Amino acid sequence: MNEIMNALNQRKSVRVYTEKEISQEDKESILNAALQAPSAGCQLLYTILDITDQNKKERLVHLCDDQPFIAKAKMVLVFCADCRKWLSFYREAGLTPRKPGAGDLLLAVEDALIAAQNAVTVAESLGIGSCYIGDVMENAEEMKELLSIPEYVYPACMLVFGYPTEQQKERKKLERFRLTDIVCENAYQDKDGEEIRSMFDTRRGEKSYDEWMEAFWKRKYESDFSNEMNRSMEVYLREFL
């Protein structure tokens, strides 16, 4: 297994960090890696917010479901899908661009997330742990104010970085599904009941499938943060619909 494959297989979310600072050189390596990611038409339809203000980090803790490790991270980056900046580029040339639509937003989200994953992969190669924070899309009004997010810009994801503690290094990575559970050949294929249940045979421990799934459903799909995420997305989408 080569180094890149090994890094991808070993990488897991890290939420506890040592006090070691991330050097400016390594920080720039991570950011430059993000910019090297594939991008639609090489437009780089994203803007990266480098959050260095500790007060803002503390506020992000509250706005992102009270996750205190955010404030303790040595580097915090918000990857924004940016459908705004190219409007400025076009107008500078005397053009009259149309209003961005849902397709433009989704394309920009793709660009932002691909760039974010490049940052994660290079950080891992440097021994720096990371964790995605999808909750940055919640509390839209307050998030827009805190990060000065203007029209046609959407915070697609946040990444926090730091050197993992020994406990985090040794912590077992959560098991992934099998290829046959995820990969469909040529067309989408729904799973039948038996296939679905077999996907969770090694995940549910002593619980039955129904018990495990009900608990997960309540904790994730029907949670307060999930409902807030959907409400906030409606706020962001108004600009594009």
Side-chain angles (χ1 to χ4, degrees):
M1 185 179 294
N2 65 39
E3 292 183 12
I4 293 176
M5 290 171 65
N6 187 59
L8 292 175
N9 284 326
Q10 293 298 317
R11 189 267 167 192
K12 55 181 178 285
S13 294
V14 173
R15 297 178 176 85
V16 186
Y17 312 109
T18 69
E19 293 301 316
K20 183 179 178 180
E21 298 292 337
I22 296 174
S23 70
Q24 185 63 29
E25 180 182 5
D26 284 348
K27 182 175 183 176
E28 289 182 5
S29 293
I30 292 168
L31 289 168
N32 277 316
L35 269 61
Q36 296 305 314
S39 170
C42 202
Q43 297 174 85
L44 281 69
L45 297 168
Y46 55 85
T47 292
I48 304 171
L49 307 182
D50 179 13
I51 311 300
T52 59
D53 185 321
Q54 189 60 33
N55 290 328
K56 288 194 174 185
K57 289 184 183 180
E58 298 287 350
R59 185 64 180 151
L60 285 168
V61 168
H62 172 67
L63 294 179
C64 296
D65 287 331
D66 295 311
Q67 301 181 78
F69 70 93
I70 294 171
K72 297 177 181 179
K74 298 304 180 181
M75 182 166 70
V76 176
L77 303 178
V78 178
F79 286 75
C80 294
D82 190 348
C83 297
R84 180 183 181 86
K85 63 183 178 182
W86 278 88
L87 299 182
S88 300
F89 301 163
Y90 295 139
R91 288 167 182 155
E92 179 65 21
L95 304 172
T96 307
R98 59 171 172 76
K99 173 183 174 180
D104 299 298
L105 172 61
L106 292 177
L107 196 63
V109 169
E110 287 182 2
D111 268 16
L113 296 182
I114 296 169
Q117 186 59 21
N118 257 30
V120 164
T121 302
V122 167
E124 184 72 17
S125 76
L126 296 170
I128 299 169
S130 60
C131 185
Y132 276 100
I133 309 292
D135 302 291
V136 74
M137 70 176 71
E138 296 176 33
N139 298 298
E141 296 84 356
E142 293 175 86
M143 197 66 72
K144 287 168 74 73
E145 180 180 0
L146 177 68
L147 303 179
S148 301
I149 295 175
E151 189 177 38
Y152 305 133
V153 177
Y154 162 64
C157 75
M158 181 163 72
L159 278 170
V160 296
F161 298 86
Y163 288 94
T165 62
E166 287 302 315
Q167 181 273 335
Q168 289 285 291
K169 289 179 183 178
E170 296 171 4
R171 178 175 54 83
K172 185 179 178 181
K173 180 175 180 175
L174 291 177
E175 181 184 359
R176 269 35 180 180
F177 287 112
R178 299 162 298 193
L179 285 178
T180 53
D181 295 330
I182 300 299
V183 180
C184 298
E185 186 172 357
N186 294 322
Y188 190 94
Q189 299 156 15
D190 279 320
K191 300 283 192 295
D192 63 28
E194 183 178 348
E195 290 171 324
I196 291 171
R197 289 174 181 270
S198 72
M199 290 174 66
F200 295 87
D201 282 346
T202 61
R203 292 169 173 260
R204 54 184 176 79
E206 297 299 318
K207 292 183 178 180
S208 69
Y209 170 83
D210 292 357
E211 290 172 332
W212 189 95
M213 192 56 66
E214 181 178 4
F216 191 87
W217 170 67
K218 289 178 179 178
R219 182 163 58 91
K220 293 289 186 181
Y221 197 73
E222 296 293 347
S223 64
D224 289 340
F225 77 79
S226 185
N227 290 325
E228 170 54 31
M229 176 181 66
N230 284 311
R231 186 204 68 83
S232 286
M233 277 307 307
E234 290 178 2
V235 173
Y236 287 115
L237 285 171
R238 286 174 197 158
E239 298 168 3
F240 297 91
L241 298 176

